[in-house]
Amino acid sequence: MPIIEVEKLHKRYGETIAVDDVSFSVEPGEIFGILGPNGAGKTTTVECIEGLRRPDSGEVRVLGLQPGRDRAELAQRVGVQLQESALQEKLKVREALDLYASFYRQPADGDELLQMLGLQDKRETYYRKLSGGQKQRLSIAMALIGNPEVAILDELTTGLDPQARRDTWELIERVRDRGVTILLVTHFMDEAERLCDRLALIESGTVVATDTPAGLIQRVDRGQRVRFRPSAPVDDALLTAIPDVTGVSRHGDEVVVTGSGNIVALMVTALAGEQIVPLDVRVEQANLEDAFVALTGQKLIHDDHESTR
């Protein structure tokens, strides 16, 4: 039985359709990602799952319960890290965890959580003195203090520096290893590709595709792209004659060869026969961003200040 089931979810605000016929399911023990640009409807979708918003139509079930009807029970079993949250500045880390622990029937061990999240030395530190990464870790701790079966994490690493993001990714993997099913909302391609077992791509309130990251990439994989600068002028015909080469294009003084198989070695051999050396060679494979662009027709714009409703 899926942990989360969303069927034909629809939500509008006045004349704006935020979520339009969204359907997907989340299986036990997986990290399921909702990936899309700012304004695609990701946050509205998870707020309906959390019971913070009532959908106009459609069905949502979490652990077999309905968020609107069974919100009190789900609050005991689902941990939530909101997209934007803040604590009172003079609240200490220990005090914050103790406060949140008091909301649950069977809270987790706060000290154990702080140890797992690398905050054990910050127990007596005021919230205002924590770094951005430490505040994010504390938000994860508060989402987990109730011993949840499901954790919903919304734009978890927005605003963090690269090292803090990588540290947070490792923490999420450790949370999943504890048996917690995770629903992750993100607009970062690398984050989705690194963490998620499966993904729903959302664009303009609609699910465009659902698959594993590798499955999405395979849908649009056109083989390799080899970029280089030739040491002397090269005729396109020399390159298109190479077996498995499917295309040649130029960008300024850069040549881009697309194809499959062992095209790099064959290309170098063909160029050497004309006494041409390929300089600054780069080999690129299709990635999740290529899949997103191909499936939605848009590029993700990483703007942390845009609305993510």
Side-chain angles (χ1 to χ4, degrees), residues 1-5 24-33 49 62-63 77-80 143-144 147-153 172-184 197-198:
M1 178 179 175
I3 294 294
I4 298 174
E5 298 173 275
F24 61 85
S25 63
V26 180
E27 300 300 321
E30 73 175 343
I31 300 178
F32 185 93
I49 294 171
V62 182
L63 299 167
R77 303 173 65 183
V78 177
V80 176
L144 299 178
N147 262 327
E149 298 165 60
V150 182
I152 300 176
L153 309 175
I172 298 310
E173 290 170 333
R174 292 169 63 186
V175 169
R176 190 264 301 276
D177 291 343
R178 291 164 60 98
V180 179
T181 299
I182 296 173
L183 178 61
L184 177 70
D197 299 300
R198 290 190 303 129

Side-chain angles (χ1 to χ4, degrees), residues 174-223:
R174 292 169 63 186
V175 169
R176 190 264 301 276
D177 291 343
R178 291 164 60 98
V180 179
T181 299
I182 296 173
L183 178 61
L184 177 70
V185 181
T186 185
H187 65 275
F188 292 119
M189 293 291 181
D190 54 349
E191 184 164 278
E193 195 164 359
R194 159 73 182 267
L195 291 177
C196 296
D197 299 300
R198 290 190 303 129
L199 288 165
L201 301 187
I202 293 187
E203 169 58 26
S204 300
T206 302
V207 173
V208 177
T210 304
D211 206 336
T212 64
L216 292 170
I217 293 169
Q218 287 174 1
R219 296 189 191 191
V220 301
D221 189 359
R222 299 180 179 87

Side-chain angles (χ1 to χ4, degrees), residues 118-171:
L119 291 173
Q120 66 272 21
D121 296 333
K122 302 294 181 180
R123 293 180 77 256
E124 301 301 322
T125 301
Y126 290 114
Y127 180 77
R128 63 182 172 84
K129 292 188 176 181
L130 298 177
S131 68
Q134 290 165 348
K135 288 178 179 178
Q136 288 291 62
R137 292 184 184 201
L138 180 57
S139 73
I140 297 171
M142 292 188 295
L144 299 178
I145 192 64
N147 262 327
E149 298 165 60
V150 182
I152 300 176
L153 309 175
D154 192 355
E155 300 289 0
L156 181 66
T157 62
T158 295
L160 297 186
D161 63 59
Q163 184 59 53
R165 291 181 70 225
R166 286 190 290 270
D167 291 344
T168 302
W169 293 346
E170 292 179 4
L171 292 174

Side-chain angles (χ1 to χ4, degrees), residues 34-52:
I34 298 179
L35 175 67
N38 293 325
K42 305 187 302 296
T43 293
T44 294
T45 298
V46 297
E47 286 177 345
C48 291
I49 294 171
E50 295 160 356
L52 297 177

